[in-house]
């Protein structure tokens, strides 16, 4: 077994390693027993024996107890049953299909949320996507017109890339709430999911678009799509960047206008809820609340497969035992 494999080794019966505490006892017993077999001769002086070379058999005889220790240690480790495992999971989900409809009009650059409304909306939406492991999610953007940035997908990595790519100016400016809602519902029209949800986020009042918001509402009701609406912006005025005639950008205090009656009507008549986000924390709380309300049943069945690795250790123990026996009765054989 290589070093990389040992990093993932688990032992089914680690209690067997307590037997390794017998190794010091075994060493003591081997030394004591070896002394009994040593003959003794009384001489008046050792002066004449100093030049006699020590036999190689004497030097290498400790190999025998070392082989016995290797045999014992390998057997103990084998009994502990080293094994590796891999786990596979089957996920059975009823499934929810969700479309995030995000306003990208110029007013979404206002800085009453940090660093601005759009970046805060993107960051919070990405956190929401991470929490929806088993759901398919799509992304629709709108301002003066609407566009499907990402069809509903279970590939959340691709979805998050598309989320990060959105910016103000990608579409004609304006606020076409009806177009944003209609396009979001259209993404769910063919969905077979048990629950179909649109989360529609805007910071303004419908002022353009080919589809009236109330018409889009009727379409959502016809396809049984639940709509959660979010109005983004502080109460009163918000600092917003404005381009001057000379091309420079200056911050101006602009009135925050959100058509809350319309947003509440859309949410209520489709079975959803309307939320108002006045800062980053409240926007995060809103997504957490929607996340809790739109939970699906997910059953995860785990299968764990084990691969045993005791056989090489058993072979090491057998090889060491046989080698010890061969050496004991050949090269290191004791004379009677």
């Amino acid at each position: 077994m290589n070093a990389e494999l040992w990093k993932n080794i688990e032992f089914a019966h680690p209690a067997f390693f307590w037997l390794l505490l017998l190794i010091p006892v075994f060493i003591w017993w081997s030394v004591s027993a070896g002394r009994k077999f040593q003959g003794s001769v009384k001489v008046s002086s050792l002066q004449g024996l100093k030049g006699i070379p020590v036999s190689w058999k004497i030097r290498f005889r400790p190999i025998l107890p070392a082989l016995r220790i290797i045999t014992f240690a390998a057997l103990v480790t084998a009994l502990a049953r080293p094994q590796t495992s891999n786990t596979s999971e089957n996920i059975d989900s009823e499934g929810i299909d969700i479309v995030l409809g995000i306003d990208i009009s110029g007013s979404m650059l206002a800085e009453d949320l940090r660093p601005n409304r759009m970046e805060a909306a993107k960051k919070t939406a990405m956190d929401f996507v991470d929490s929806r492991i088993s759901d398919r999610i799509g992304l629709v953007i709108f301002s003066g017109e609407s566009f499907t940035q990402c069809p509903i997908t279970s590939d959340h990595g691709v979805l998050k890339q598309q989320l990060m790519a959105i910016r103000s100016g990608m579409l004609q400016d304006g606020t076409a709430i009806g177009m944003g809602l209609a396009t979001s519902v259209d993404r769910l029209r063919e969905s077979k999911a048990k629950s179909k949800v649109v989360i529609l986020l805007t910071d303004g009042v419908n002022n353009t678009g080919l589809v009236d918001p109330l018409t889009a509402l009727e379409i959502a009701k016809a396809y049984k799509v639940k709509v959660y609406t979010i109005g983004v912006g502080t109460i009163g005025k918000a600092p917003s960047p404005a381009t001057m005639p000379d091309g420079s950008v200056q911050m101006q205090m602009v009135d925050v206008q959100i058509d809350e009656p319309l947003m509440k009507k859309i949410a209520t008549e489709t079975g959803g809820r309307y939320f108002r986000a006045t800062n980053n924390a409240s926007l995060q709380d809103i997504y957490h609340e929607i996340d809790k309300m739109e939970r699906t049943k997910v059953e995860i069945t785990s299968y764990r497969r084990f691969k045993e690795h005791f056989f090489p250790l058993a072979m090491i123990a057998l090889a060491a035992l046989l080698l010890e026996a061969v050496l004991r009765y050949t090269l290191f054989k004791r004379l009677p």
Side-chain angles (χ1 to χ4, degrees), residues 28-41 58 61 64-65 68 324 328-329 332-336:
W28 172 83
W29 178 84
S30 297
V31 173
S32 299
R35 288 174 180 171
K36 293 180 181 179
F37 289 100
Q38 292 179 357
S40 61
V41 178
I58 301 298
R61 194 168 187 84
L64 298 181
R68 287 193 288 271
E324 193 269 343
R328 173 184 292 276
Y329 294 106
F332 298 107
K333 183 178 181 180
R334 295 181 184 274
L335 295 176

Side-chain angles (χ1 to χ4, degrees), residues 102-176:
I102 298 180
D103 187 345
I104 64 166
S105 58
S107 59
M108 286 291 287
L109 297 178
E111 297 181 3
D112 46 351
L113 276 73
R114 298 297 179 182
N116 57 49
R117 294 173 186 171
M118 185 173 299
E119 292 303 316
K122 287 162 59 175
K123 169 64 170 59
T124 312
M126 289 183 67
D127 293 340
F128 177 79
V129 169
D130 286 336
S131 70
R132 309 298 298 190
I133 299 173
S134 61
D135 298 324
R136 297 195 310 163
I137 305 177
L139 174 62
V140 167
I141 56 176
F142 66 94
S143 50
E145 51 190 339
S146 61
F147 176 74
T148 301
Q149 181 78 353
C150 182
I152 54 174
T153 178
S154 57
D155 190 340
H156 291 180
V158 170
L159 174 64
K160 288 165 69 175
Q161 288 178 1
Q162 295 301 315
L163 255 172
M164 290 302 297
I166 63 176
R167 64 188 185 279
S168 180
M170 293 177 67
L171 301 174
Q172 177 184 336
D173 204 14
T175 304

Side-chain angles (χ1 to χ4, degrees), residues 123 131 148 195 246 273 289 316 323 326 334:
K123 169 64 170 59
S131 70
T148 301
S195 180
D246 61 358
R273 278 181 58 186
E289 185 68 21
I316 291 173
L323 181 59
V326 169
R334 295 181 184 274

Side-chain angles (χ1 to χ4, degrees), residues 38-306:
Q38 292 179 357
S40 61
V41 178
K42 291 184 178 181
V43 294
S44 59
S45 174
L46 297 176
Q47 192 66 33
L49 302 176
K50 287 183 177 180
I52 299 176
V54 179
S55 169
W56 64 271
K57 289 187 178 182
I58 301 298
R59 293 182 184 276
F60 289 100
R61 194 168 187 84
I63 287 177
L64 298 181
L67 287 172
R68 287 193 288 271
I69 291 172
I70 290 173
T71 300
F72 180 72
L75 280 175
V76 168
T77 307
L79 288 171
R81 284 183 59 192
Q83 53 190 212
T84 52
S85 64
N86 60 74
T87 302
S88 59
E89 292 184 342
N90 286 345
I91 300 178
D92 181 19
S93 170
E94 293 178 356
I96 296 178
D97 282 353
I98 301 172
V99 171
L100 304 175
I102 298 180
D103 187 345
I104 64 166
S105 58
S107 59
M108 286 291 287
L109 297 178
E111 297 181 3
D112 46 351
L113 276 73
R114 298 297 179 182
N116 57 49
R117 294 173 186 171
M118 185 173 299
E119 292 303 316
K122 287 162 59 175
K123 169 64 170 59
T124 312
M126 289 183 67
D127 293 340
F128 177 79
V129 169
D130 286 336
S131 70
R132 309 298 298 190
I133 299 173
S134 61
D135 298 324
R136 297 195 310 163
I137 305 177
L139 174 62
V140 167
I141 56 176
F142 66 94
S143 50
E145 51 190 339
S146 61
F147 176 74
T148 301
Q149 181 78 353
C150 182
I152 54 174
T153 178
S154 57
D155 190 340
H156 291 180
V158 170
L159 174 64
K160 288 165 69 175
Q161 288 178 1
Q162 295 301 315
L163 255 172
M164 290 302 297
I166 63 176
R167 64 188 185 279
S168 180
M170 293 177 67
L171 301 174
Q172 177 184 336
D173 204 14
T175 304
I177 296 175
M179 290 286 291
L181 178 57
T183 303
S184 299
V185 171
D186 187 57
R187 292 299 89 199
L188 295 167
R189 185 164 50 90
E190 303 296 332
S191 171
K192 303 299 182 184
K194 185 175 181 179
S195 180
K196 295 178 284 188
V197 173
V198 168
I199 302 175
L200 190 71
L201 181 148
T202 185
D203 68 341
V205 176
N206 187 79
N207 55 26
T208 187
L210 300 177
V211 179
D212 181 76
L214 296 182
T215 302
L217 168 59
E218 294 304 317
I219 297 172
K221 290 161 62 177
Y223 287 105
K224 295 181 171 59
V225 175
K226 184 186 296 185
V227 184
Y228 292 96
T229 54
I230 303 174
V232 180
T234 188
I235 306 298
K237 295 180 179 291
S240 183
T243 303
M244 299 292 103
D246 61 358
S248 62
V249 177
Q250 294 184 9
M251 299 301 295
Q252 295 182 345
M253 298 303 293
V254 178
D255 289 329
V256 178
Q257 296 180 332
I258 299 174
D259 193 346
E260 290 194 310
L262 172 64
M263 302 296 278
K264 289 177 181 178
K265 181 179 179 65
I266 292 172
T268 302
E269 294 192 13
T270 58
R273 278 181 58 186
Y274 168 70
F275 301 91
R276 179 69 181 267
T278 57
N279 52 47
N280 293 62
S282 61
L283 182 59
Q284 290 174 347
D285 289 342
I286 289 167
Y287 273 99
H288 289 158
E289 185 68 21
I290 296 173
D291 183 43
K292 287 188 292 184
M293 288 189 292
E294 290 297 330
R295 273 295 161 190
T296 182
K297 178 183 176 183
V298 178
E299 293 182 359
I300 300 176
T301 306
S302 296
Y303 301 91
R304 198 171 189 187
R305 298 176 179 86
F306 292 94

Side-chain angles (χ1 to χ4, degrees), residues 14-31:
F16 277 103
F17 284 118
W18 287 104
L19 293 174
L20 295 178
L21 295 177
L22 295 175
I23 289 179
V25 178
F26 179 75
I27 294 173
W28 172 83
W29 178 84
S30 297
V31 173

